Amino acid sequence: MADEVLRLDKVCKAYNIGMPSETEVLHDIDLRLEKSEFLALMGPSGSGKSTLLNIVGLLDRPTSGRLTIKGQDTGLLGDTAITRLRGHTIGFIFQDHHLISAFTALENVMMPMLVDRGFPSADITRRASDLMARVGLSKVAGNLAMNMSGGQQQRVAVARALAMNPDLVLADEPTGNLDSKSADSVFELMRQVNRESGTSFLIVTHNLDLARRCDRIIDVVDGRITGTAADGVPESDARETVMRVPGDSIANGTDGVSGSELHPASP
């Protein structure tokens, strides 16, 4: 059986605890992610996807429940240990690539390693160069990030996410700002990394066509993980399940999520 990279048991998240405006936005979430899995996380705005991703990414802590990453119960870890675990275990890809525009593509890929080690080295440069080659951008490694196309910038972001050789990559709408051709190219790049390196991916997306090319689709509605469909779900049924609505608001902490597991994506 594959190694378990991520496990959530009865995870809840509430805001304004003890106040009249207290709101619970994640409800009893149960979720498992194995090594080499490639999962899509879908749901309408306000459904709790961003809150869930922040908790999985160790950017926020759950109010209750247990979050385990690579066998470590994160509730038992202090802030310094959480920061180290996040830096060495999780890579991030954002819709807005968040590259440093005045740095070259190569320098952007080097940044996680420089932050971790505190000083540059030939090994860091070599690792970054290898990653630029892997994403097909060796020839533009010296270009400033602000002078690259959107598709190229997102490929650099993928390379940067892999800099610390993470077990898990979290991607928040990684193709949301790209045209269809670039989106497909970036998705296939992530899929290739997943297949060749065994890196697990959890991808937030509103693109149902891309989601169906993942191993499973996690459907988030009203702060709950919903859906128990088996293999071979008809495409129309899958679309109806995934696209159920209400609304989302990570900015004011009112989005929500809970948990049953999941329906496999169509092959």
Side-chain angles (χ1 to χ4, degrees):
M1 183 176 178
D3 296 331
E4 196 171 68
V5 173
L6 172 69
R7 181 185 183 103
L8 286 80
D9 295 297
K10 303 300 181 185
V11 165
C12 300
K13 180 63 180 180
Y15 294 95
N16 301 325
I17 297 172
M19 301 173 62
S21 57
E22 179 174 338
T23 304
E24 185 172 277
V25 295
L26 301 184
H27 316 284
D28 293 331
I29 296 232
D30 294 321
L31 175 63
R32 312 287 181 270
L33 180 62
E34 306 288 347
K35 179 177 173 61
S36 303
E37 277 198 290
F38 196 92
L39 270 59
L41 182 64
M42 298 194 75
S45 295
S47 59
K49 303 184 304 296
S50 295
T51 299
L52 180 56
L53 208 65
N54 284 344
I55 288 175
V56 170
L58 302 178
L59 300 172
D60 198 359
R61 291 184 183 259
T63 306
S64 62
R66 177 178 295 178
L67 169 63
T68 306
I69 295 180
K70 292 292 289 180
Q72 296 192 61
D73 182 348
T74 61
L76 303 178
L77 302 178
D79 291 345
T80 300
I82 285 285
T83 298
R84 180 169 180 79
L85 180 62
R86 181 174 60 242
H88 286 259
T89 308
I90 303 173
F92 295 88
I93 305 170
F94 305 96
Q95 179 174 352
D96 296 313
H97 48 77
H98 292 310
L99 301 178
I100 301 174
S101 61
F103 283 14
T104 67
L106 185 68
E107 289 167 341
N108 272 280
V109 176
M110 292 170 63
M111 284 305 298
M113 296 178 282
L114 290 172
V115 169
D116 180 63
R117 300 186 192 180
F119 57 88
S121 69
D123 287 343
I124 288 177
T125 303
R126 189 179 307 112
R127 168 72 174 161
S129 297
D130 289 345
L131 286 169
M132 288 296 292
R134 187 173 189 180
V135 301
L137 294 178
S138 290
K139 292 183 179 179
V140 295
N143 288 15
L144 294 179
M146 61 181 165
N147 294 333
M148 305 180 82
S149 69
Q152 287 176 329
Q153 289 171 334
Q154 205 61 321
R155 282 176 168 266
V156 175
V158 172
R160 181 183 58 189
L162 300 174
M164 298 297 292
N165 196 27
D167 297 282
L168 171 64
V169 171
L170 304 178
D172 191 1
E173 291 285 358
T175 62
N177 287 341
L178 303 178
D179 60 75
S180 59
K181 182 177 180 180
S182 296
D184 187 72
S185 176
V186 169
F187 179 88
E188 281 304 319
L189 172 61
M190 293 187 294
R191 205 58 165 121
Q192 180 182 353
V193 169
N194 162 253
R195 289 170 177 145
E196 292 179 353
S197 302
T199 306
S200 301
F201 279 75
L202 180 59
I203 299 175
V204 172
T205 182
H206 285 98
N207 188 323
L208 188 57
D209 292 332
L210 293 182
R212 287 200 179 104
R213 291 154 62 184
C214 298
D215 298 332
R216 288 189 286 160
I217 299 172
I218 304 169
D219 182 14
V220 181
V221 177
D222 280 345
R224 305 180 185 279
I225 293 177
T226 63
T228 55
D231 290 326
V233 172
E235 184 170 299
S236 59
D237 292 350
R239 180 181 297 274
E240 182 178 69
T241 300
V242 169
M243 298 311 289
R244 284 195 304 272
V245 173
D248 205 83
S249 189
I250 180 70
N252 38 22
T254 57
D255 61 4
V257 190
S258 147
S260 60
E261 283 232 7
L262 315 178
H263 53 78
S266 303

